[in-house]
Amino acid sequence: MRHLALLGALLTSLAGGSGAQTALPIPTFEGQVIYQVMPDRFFDGNPANNQGVNRDDPRAWHGGDLPGLTQKLAYIQKLGATSVWLTPVYQQQAANSFGTAGYHGYWPADFRNVDPHFGTLADFGTFVKAAQGAGMRVVLDQVINHYGYEAAAVRLRKDWFNTQATCDATQNKDVDCPLSGLPDLRQSNPQVRDLLLGNADFWREQGVNAFRYDAIKHVERPFLNDLLAADRQAGTWTLGEWFGADTGTVADWQKAGFDSLFLFSLQDAMKASVMGESSLDAVRQVLARQGELPRPGEVALFLDNHDVPRFAQGSLFEDVGQERTRYGLRALMTLRGVPVIWQGTEIAMRGGTDPDNRRDMRFEDQWTPAERAVFGATQAAIAARKASPALSSGAQTLLPTPDRVSGQLLLFTRELNGQTVLAAWHSGNARRTYSLKLSVLGVNWAALAATPSLFAGQDAKVSVSGGYLHLSLPARDAAAFRVQ
């Protein structure tokens, strides 16, 4: 009955409890900036483990490993990220499926061992120690829905998996049927439940601070309740992946015990307006629903990841993709929530659908001047966010803008402890100056001399005089200004 007790403790904590002494601490990542890494595609630190590597094949192993990630921690720190999220490092099925190797980590054969291509469990420990010694948190991907197609458990533990008959008979196809044909675990089986809960305990013992849970839409809800209760009891921050989640979905799962989910609806809106030619109204509509979220400061915000095309791929022209990725990254750093940067987005790497979006990471000695400029802008925006308590974790309030400019100008404030930062997103195709009545914006700010953006290297200014807010903004960019 231990899992029922844990669930009860979780519900008590979420409800506020009957007394402070019984409430469990709620882990937080507000103020963090997460850098996502797929180890096989990041950096090769030990060529001795390169069995079967073929970098010319986008579906093969490419040689990146844990020693390489440890060697490149200084790069991630230089960017300014405070946490590293690794896609799974489990031992993968040995055989290929559909002409693809398990380089991505999502076809596990042994959940409690490191795949030899990535290194050893000791290498993982070395990485964790180095990351945490540098003040960085470690987020590990956890697979809880399935095994790899060719994993031995599929043959040896048939009772662990949902059958075709189960799938045919169920009304809940998302949970009881295979995802992409992968052997679908039945978490209601006590052995499966204990295995998966034990996996979380195992990786916690290796020093992991947080888990990103893959494909939660396809996992039995009672098991998720047990899992989240155990994670909360252990103080582990939890990030769920529900592909396509909007604000309502994120809110529901935060109420159920997840600390965070990815806000896919915002990513879709930013892809259409920041990278594309649509107005900013779709972004505004997503941000207007922030009040539905129990914990808006924990929501995961992203431009792209390993499952969707690269953000920069949204333009046919490389230079436009680079300019608008810079815009998107600066915009991301103005928002309330937890920004997540997929390796290479900080230099506007291109790439279409899987596996093209998983090209090998390139570092400073391989960059073009334009890529260096995107990195510099990202680095400066992260630094400004970290230096500003209001940008890091302040409340977020949308400001009304006149209809005539609302499609290309989005304004909101971030406020904390008397500090107010104004965020301005501008989707116009040319530099423009705006003068807006403070009364229309619903603010009453004191006079302010021309003030530059908090983002170093950006030519944007704000001033307040005569009851008006004056903004001078470059084309296709996002800025942040200290106004109080």
Side-chain angles (χ1 to χ4, degrees), residues 280 283-284 287 327 330-336 385 388 390-391 394-401 408-415 419-426 436 441 443 445 453-455 458 460-462 469 471 473 477-484:
L280 286 165
V283 173
R284 184 178 287 106
L287 298 184
Y327 172 18
R330 281 176 169 159
L332 207 66
M333 294 305 148
T334 67
L335 290 166
R336 187 173 191 187
R385 180 182 179 90
S388 167
L391 274 182
Q396 180 171 294
T397 304
L398 277 172
L399 300 184
T401 51
Q408 61 184 25
L409 182 65
L410 175 71
L411 301 176
F412 56 89
T413 58
R414 304 290 311 280
E415 298 180 86
Q419 181 186 105
T420 301
V421 171
L422 172 67
W425 297 16
H426 181 222
L436 306 172
L441 297 175
V443 297
W445 294 331
S453 171
L454 295 175
F455 298 155
Q458 181 182 57
K461 297 180 179 65
V462 67
L469 173 75
L471 286 163
L473 301 172
D477 213 345
F481 308 94
R482 175 82 181 267
V483 293
Q484 279 190 340

Side-chain angles (χ1 to χ4, degrees), residues 88-161:
V89 295
Y90 312 130
Q91 185 169 340
Q92 298 294 288
Q93 62 178 48
N96 288 2
S97 291
F98 313 108
T100 302
Y103 70 88
H104 43 69
Y106 293 98
W107 293 346
D110 183 349
F111 289 92
R112 301 186 195 178
N113 201 2
V114 169
D115 192 280
H117 291 88
F118 299 135
T120 64
L121 194 58
D123 290 330
F124 184 81
T126 298
F127 161 72
V128 170
K129 184 177 180 180
Q132 295 178 346
M136 305 183 76
R137 303 185 191 183
V138 176
V139 184
L140 182 64
D141 224 308
Q142 288 282 64
V143 177
I144 52 177
N145 175 69
H146 57 265
Y147 267 84
Y149 298 97
E150 303 294 334
V154 179
R155 301 187 306 275
L156 301 176
R157 301 284 189 175
K158 294 184 182 299
D159 58 320
W160 286 9
F161 300 92

Side-chain angles (χ1 to χ4, degrees), residues 29-32 296-301 335-339 385 392 414:
F29 260 54
E30 190 164 15
Q32 296 287 308
E298 304 293 336
V299 176
L301 313 170
L335 290 166
R336 187 173 191 187
V338 182
R385 180 182 179 90
S392 290
R414 304 290 311 280

Side-chain angles (χ1 to χ4, degrees), residues 37-47 49-50 55 62-73 75 117-118 343 359-363 365-366:
V37 168
M38 181 171 280
D40 179 66
R41 302 299 164 94
F42 197 60
F43 188 70
D44 185 359
N46 181 12
N49 60 26
N50 285 359
R55 294 188 180 93
H62 281 200
D65 50 28
L66 289 165
L69 178 55
T70 303
Q71 291 175 35
K72 288 296 184 181
L73 273 174
Y75 167 81
H117 291 88
F118 299 135
Q343 65 182 51
R359 300 178 190 179
D360 292 337
M361 182 61 190
R362 292 182 295 105
F363 296 95
D365 60 339
Q366 300 170 302

Side-chain angles (χ1 to χ4, degrees), residues 144-186:
I144 52 177
N145 175 69
H146 57 265
Y147 267 84
Y149 298 97
E150 303 294 334
V154 179
R155 301 187 306 275
L156 301 176
R157 301 284 189 175
K158 294 184 182 299
D159 58 320
W160 286 9
F161 300 92
N162 287 316
T163 64
Q164 186 59 50
T166 303
C167 175
D168 292 341
T170 188
Q171 297 297 311
N172 193 350
K173 301 294 185 184
D174 283 335
V175 170
D176 297 326
C177 294
L179 171 64
S180 300
L182 287 158
D184 191 58
L185 283 165
R186 192 165 72 246

